[in-house]
Amino acid sequence: MSMTGSEDRKMPQQTSSSRVEKRRQATLLEIRSTARQLLRKHGPTGVTVNAVAREMGMSGPAVYRYYASHDALVEAVIADFYQELTTTMQAARDACPPGHPGRRLAATCRSMRAWAINHPGEFRWMFASPVRAAARHDAESPRLRAGQQFEKVFLDQFVDIWEKNPSPATRFEDLPSSLQEQILEYAARADSPLPPEALHQFLKSWIRLYGLLCMEVLHQLDFAYSDLEPVFEESLRELCVLHNLEYLPPQES
């Protein structure tokens, strides 16, 4: 008995299912893109399910068929931002030769700053609002997974730097006990091959970069500086010294 007829009957069903899924994915993307446009125009308070629905010519209940809640929509949109920023940073890093860790790290940091300056609304949504407690424990949270990939861009570089040239600024046993406990807890969550003293140095480096970038994007230093690029470059130079890396100004990189 030939199976050709049975296979022919299945093919239209599979094609139809594929088309439905493609339309669904296209609608999901349009919803997130619309939410991003509203964020840029009106800020976070302007991104509501009903506002997204109006912009798309849909009803609120129709949007809820794609995202079960406002929180779910926000999580998905922020995940997009993380993925975009991660891709940008990886491209900047990979444009530098593998044998030049200082140049690669500086390129990564500069690309993050450039993206943040060009996307201040997105940056605020990503970093000014902490991940909800529930999302921190949800392995399927798109925002959490995208954030972890973003974190790895930096963390993997520090692993490479440390393996080639370990240079702890402070002995781990000399740190306050409460700080030691927190670093060990983070080490367990991050599942990193770095020893605790290296993770502490990585976190200090991240705090310095992130803190300065937040203050720039939020205009917290406008009272003193009209151009923060030299300040950022000075911070990069100090970071390279901390990790025994060669620092090159942007025009020489």
Side-chain angles (χ1 to χ4, degrees):
M1 178 178 176
S2 173
M3 297 295 293
T4 304
S6 175
E7 290 173 356
D8 288 344
R9 285 194 296 273
K10 288 180 181 180
M11 286 181 63
Q13 294 176 353
Q14 292 170 349
T15 302
S16 175
S17 176
S18 176
R19 287 174 179 168
V20 168
E21 181 58 24
K22 285 181 179 178
R23 285 197 296 270
R24 174 177 172 78
Q25 291 302 321
T27 303
L28 287 167
L29 178 58
E30 185 180 358
I31 290 171
R32 299 197 304 273
S33 298
T34 303
R36 184 175 193 171
Q37 293 168 10
L38 289 170
L39 174 67
R40 288 175 168 174
K41 289 180 182 177
H42 308 295
T45 57
V47 185
T48 65
V49 171
N50 286 334
V52 170
R54 282 195 302 272
E55 288 289 317
M56 295 180 62
M58 298 172 65
S59 66
V63 175
Y64 280 119
R65 287 202 295 269
Y66 294 90
Y67 290 102
S69 66
H70 176 263
D71 282 348
L73 172 59
V74 171
E75 290 274 304
V77 173
I78 292 178
D80 282 350
F81 298 164
Y82 270 118
Q83 290 165 359
E84 183 180 310
L85 176 54
T86 297
T87 299
T88 299
M89 291 162 55
Q90 288 171 333
R93 176 200 64 196
D94 294 343
C96 298
H100 296 270
R103 290 172 61 182
R104 287 166 68 85
L105 182 61
T108 303
C109 296
R110 288 173 185 137
S111 67
M112 179 181 176
R113 176 175 179 263
W115 189 92
I117 291 172
N118 290 323
H119 303 86
E122 290 91 331
F123 182 86
R124 290 189 186 100
W125 236 23
M126 293 163 67
F127 295 107
S129 57
V131 179
R132 293 177 297 110
R136 286 197 192 96
H137 302 288
D138 179 7
E140 297 304 314
S141 164
R143 176 180 177 177
L144 182 62
R145 284 184 283 128
Q148 289 169 338
Q149 290 303 309
F150 162 79
E151 180 184 33
K152 275 179 61 63
V153 177
F154 280 109
L155 193 52
D156 287 351
Q157 287 189 73
F158 278 100
V159 170
D160 183 59
I161 291 167
W162 184 268
E163 289 177 345
K164 289 181 172 61
N165 185 22
S167 54
T170 306
R171 294 193 314 164
F172 186 71
E173 55 268 29
D174 292 337
L175 297 174
S177 58
S178 62
L179 188 53
Q180 292 183 33
E181 292 173 4
Q182 293 175 78
I183 293 170
L184 290 173
E185 289 176 2
Y186 171 68
R189 292 196 306 273
D191 191 26
S192 170
L194 287 174
E197 61 270 23
L199 275 176
H200 177 55
Q201 195 152 298
F202 157 71
L203 290 169
K204 287 198 302 181
S205 301
W206 168 244
I207 290 167
R208 178 179 299 186
L209 287 169
Y210 169 67
L212 178 57
L213 193 52
C214 276
M215 286 189 286
E216 180 174 11
V217 173
L218 298 175
H219 300 284
Q220 295 298 312
L221 294 173
D222 286 4
F223 70 92
Y225 300 104
S226 59
D227 177 15
L228 273 164
E229 183 175 358
V231 180
F232 187 81
E233 287 301 321
E234 182 180 29
S235 184
L236 282 184
R237 186 184 301 109
E238 293 170 351
L239 183 62
C240 287
V241 170
L242 179 65
H243 295 280
N244 290 329
L245 299 172
E246 179 189 20
Y247 167 81
L248 292 175
Q251 61 272 20
E252 298 179 23
S253 296

